[in-house]
Amino acid sequence: DGNAGDPIPQDWDSMRVCYEVHCSCEHFGVPPAVCNAYPYEGETVGAPVVDNWKVGLTGEADAPPVMFLFYGGNWHDGFGQNFPTYLEPCDVGNANATRDLSSDLNQDENDWHADTTGVSGPVVPGGHPEQRWWVEMHCKVVQKGARQDWIQGYHAWKARFDGDPETEFVAALMDSVEIYAGGQWQGWPNKFSTHFNELDPNANGFLDEYPDLSQEQEILPDGIWSPGTKIEYYYASFWYDNYPNPEPEEVWTYGPWEFQILPSMELDPTTPGDYNVRWPCVLYIDAYNRGAEYYINPLLEQMEIVYDKFDYLDTSSNWNCSMARDFGGTVFNPGGYGNNGCTLEQLLGYRMILLNTGSLGSGCMEDDDWVMFEAWLDDTSLGTDFRKGFIFDGDQICEIGEGFAPLFWANTLGVTLAPNGSSYRIYNDDWEPCVELSNAAGGEFEICDPGVRLYGSGCPQTFNYNVLQAMGAPGTVGNVNYYSYLGTGTQQYVSYAMVVREKIQAGVANWKSIVNGFSFHHLSEIGCVQGEDCSSDSICIVRGAADVLGPAIGWILEGTAAFDPWYKNPEDNAVEEGETHLAGAVNHLYMSRPNPFTSRATLRFNLAKTGHVDMAIYDVSGRLIRTLADGVMDAGENTLVWDGTNNSGNRVGGGVFWMQMSTHDGYVSGKKMIVLR
């Protein structure tokens, strides 16, 4: 009710902004022929577009501002950790932070995500109680995996809160970080860890048994999150206020963020049985995390593609872990798996991978990732009836590939950087802000009309779009050129902006790949906004990206099934009929998974009661190859992993082997394993 410039009343509670939009070609002077070319709602040329609203407050909360304790403090997406050689609906993942504990680059150490995280804030002079502050972690289960309720630890975790984390955000008072100094533990009043504080009523019943900052006191514990479960969280800090009563009047919020355990398994009512689940067969890897997902997410949804998204955080930092879950190491989990990433077998649950590295260049991602992607393309354990698609896009993605995996890029994807520089603007001496994409002669498919351009190829906003070279591997084609439509470059057409490859051979391979020298979030549909050569408006970006990705996926899917959600594991044909999880006092040895295998296999067995177990691998002549267990193990289900090496650490050759299990109470069972080399 006030006039422009009037101060906001001190007692104001909320503000509502009302605006009116007139979508009228006639009133905005748009010719009927142009107006009718955009018949869909929201696509009327000339109508005003309201975008990028900013609302500024005249003040801020009277509360202490906080930030992460260390770089890489976000919780990170992950995969199931107990069954690394296949996708198990009852598997569980960890709530671990991005930070790599082996970031000192010691090659003998596994990549290993930090187990917990925390926040820090202002130091209060003298630490006077009335001037101290607290911080709570708020979390909510926004998506629940198909088998989440089967995990007993999950129900114990929910019971620690007053509210229901499946329907509302629940809060936990965080504990102060402690250091050992002067012969005693001392707390830091300005640093808090993601552990329950002893003053939090939700911690009652645990502190007598478990100490502060122990694993049992973690607000988000490991090993209780099933594939498909997603957690949202944020932090709320406030000045000391005799917690928990009364409630603080003002808080500083930090967040929100989210993390998820993949794949997004959901119930499939069309398939009966214990494993009636399915998950997306498309994986979008956001290796940029600086805005591209705001366009790629709606793009995939607009195309009605059901997909998983893996947020690959801090990919160009020196504290990130690889997406590939490594094996080995001498410090973190010696002889076992590291980090929360995925194994090759878990990645085989997807038929298409869309990897976006945005504007990041060399130093982005790690060697192990490219090794895993190459193995994913070459793997035929699912057979060759299912088409795979591999799409890499980024402004400097081939520079990344040249630095880490040049043989993979050249020999497998059939692409490398063009000579005499990789950047289009330098290569073609073209400093105009827009460059157009043009279908190349002899290409496999064409981008949609009315065509697309890339914004920001020159000053003031510069992106180093790569010029690609097709290496001539069988099935490799340069599909799209850069086009200096204003004639400002030394060449009118520059080859290439996109290189594609097809490798389809019965019983050998069935995949297609697409490498783009640009990121999808810099595309713009031509003519989207009148008077602009290439608009960075969000609608124009999504439409431009759709003009490229739509035909690309159509080409990948030629002659094969659509990318619909599915249930598929590489070891399906090796699973014994009727095998599921056993309950009760029974000993049982399951088939190893996968079988046959090339790199690693999981041996799964059930024990009637806690006791001594011998598990060993023998060759067909009965010679002992590897001892995997010789000691006491817990009752219930257990797993061991064999990496295909003998007791000396050398890899065995291909052939038939036997795993044999024996227990202290006389149970003996053996099953055949096949190693492929």
Side-chain angles (χ1 to χ4, degrees), residues 79-86 90-93 223 325 346 602 639 641:
F79 286 76
Q81 298 294 295
N82 289 350
F83 299 91
T85 56
Y86 65 105
C90 295
D91 203 354
V92 288
R325 191 176 176 197
Q346 290 172 324
T602 295
T639 59
V641 174

Side-chain angles (χ1 to χ4, degrees), residues 274-275 575-582 588 590 593 604:
D274 287 335
Y275 286 81
V575 179
E576 297 178 20
E577 286 190 16
E579 278 207 344
T580 182
H581 290 265
L582 298 174
H588 185 75
Y590 298 92
R593 295 187 177 186
R604 174 169 153 243

Side-chain angles (χ1 to χ4, degrees), residues 110-187:
N110 299 55
D111 277 2
W112 197 260
H113 283 130
D115 191 33
T116 57
T117 184
V119 296
S120 63
V123 176
V124 177
H128 194 276
E130 282 72 21
Q131 294 178 306
R132 287 183 55 188
W133 56 276
W134 300 103
V135 61
E136 293 177 328
M137 180 177 180
H138 293 244
C139 56
K140 181 181 179 182
V141 180
V142 295
Q143 180 177 307
K144 194 164 66 170
R147 292 292 175 248
Q148 183 63 74
D149 286 333
W150 291 25
I151 312 302
Q152 292 303 313
Y154 173 70
H155 298 286
W157 172 77
K158 287 201 305 178
R160 299 193 71 171
F161 299 98
D162 294 332
D164 182 1
E166 293 182 9
T167 60
E168 60 183 339
F169 277 96
V170 293
L173 187 66
M174 294 170 59
D175 205 1
S176 60
V177 175
E178 297 179 350
I179 60 171
Y180 192 75
Q184 61 182 353
W185 287 98
Q186 299 178 2

Side-chain angles (χ1 to χ4, degrees), residues 574 576 579 589-593 595 602 659 671-672:
E576 297 178 20
E579 278 207 344
L589 175 64
Y590 298 92
M591 289 283 291
S592 59
R593 295 187 177 186
N595 192 11
T602 295
M659 58 177 177
K671 295 188 183 293
K672 182 171 67 174

Side-chain angles (χ1 to χ4, degrees), residues 209-276:
E209 186 175 357
Y210 304 110
D212 287 359
L213 305 180
S214 63
Q215 291 184 351
E216 291 78 11
Q217 294 292 2
E218 291 180 4
I219 298 173
L220 294 179
D222 294 338
I224 68 168
W225 317 105
S226 73
T229 294
K230 180 187 292 186
I231 308 294
E232 284 189 2
Y233 64 97
Y234 67 92
Y235 301 93
S237 57
F238 50 92
W239 297 116
Y240 184 90
D241 201 21
N242 296 321
Y243 185 88
N245 291 311
E247 291 294 330
E249 293 184 359
E250 295 189 57
V251 297
W252 173 285
T253 57
Y254 186 45
W257 298 278
E258 53 85 14
F259 75 95
Q260 184 177 8
I261 305 301
L262 299 176
S264 298
M265 293 188 179
E266 63 178 5
L267 294 174
D268 183 1
T270 64
T271 307
D274 287 335
Y275 286 81
N276 58 333

Side-chain angles (χ1 to χ4, degrees), residues 446-658:
E446 296 184 352
I447 56 180
C448 291
D449 290 333
V452 294
R453 290 175 181 153
L454 295 157
Y455 70 89
S457 64
C459 294
Q461 192 175 21
T462 299
F463 305 113
N464 293 330
Y465 309 131
N466 285 161
V467 179
L468 313 181
Q469 183 81 27
M471 292 299 293
T476 302
V477 174
N479 201 70
V480 173
N481 295 327
Y482 293 105
Y483 172 38
S484 179
Y485 69 100
L486 295 174
T488 50
T490 57
Q491 304 175 58
Q492 188 172 22
Y493 296 93
V494 174
S495 303
Y496 294 100
M498 175 192 294
V499 172
V500 303
R501 188 183 182 194
E502 174 182 301
K503 188 174 182 180
I504 301 175
Q505 186 177 353
V508 176
N510 187 358
W511 56 263
K512 295 183 180 182
S513 65
I514 298 173
V515 179
N516 299 314
F518 52 84
S519 175
F520 278 124
H521 79 295
H522 291 150
L523 289 169
S524 180
E525 187 176 75
I526 296 175
C528 179
V529 176
Q530 276 192 318
E532 294 188 25
D533 277 5
C534 49
S535 172
S536 60
D537 184 273
S538 57
I539 295 177
C540 301
I541 294 172
V542 173
R543 282 166 47 173
D547 290 342
V548 175
L549 187 61
I553 293 181
W555 172 70
I556 291 174
L557 288 175
E558 285 178 351
T560 190
F563 289 137
D564 295 326
W566 69 342
Y567 171 84
K568 194 67 176 175
N569 270 315
E571 81 301 335
D572 277 352
N573 295 331
V575 179
E576 297 178 20
E577 286 190 16
E579 278 207 344
T580 182
H581 290 265
L582 298 174
V586 59
N587 293 313
H588 185 75
L589 175 64
Y590 298 92
M591 289 283 291
S592 59
R593 295 187 177 186
N595 192 11
F597 75 98
T598 56
S599 57
R600 297 174 298 276
T602 295
L603 285 62
R604 174 169 153 243
F605 56 95
N606 196 82
L607 291 179
K609 56 184 178 181
T610 300
H612 194 280
V613 177
D614 289 309
M615 183 73 77
I617 307 296
Y618 298 87
D619 63 16
V620 291
S621 65
R623 181 167 57 97
L624 176 65
I625 299 298
R626 177 75 179 272
T627 299
L628 295 177
D630 182 10
V632 176
M633 303 192 74
D634 294 334
E637 284 201 1
N638 294 269
T639 59
L640 295 168
V641 174
W642 183 38
D643 63 351
T645 62
N646 58 24
N647 282 329
S648 299
N650 300 317
R651 296 190 68 80
V652 301
V656 177
F657 296 82
W658 291 88

Side-chain angles (χ1 to χ4, degrees), residues 404-416:
F404 279 116
L407 294 180
F408 169 51
W409 285 83
N411 298 341
T412 301
L413 301 181
V415 64
T416 187

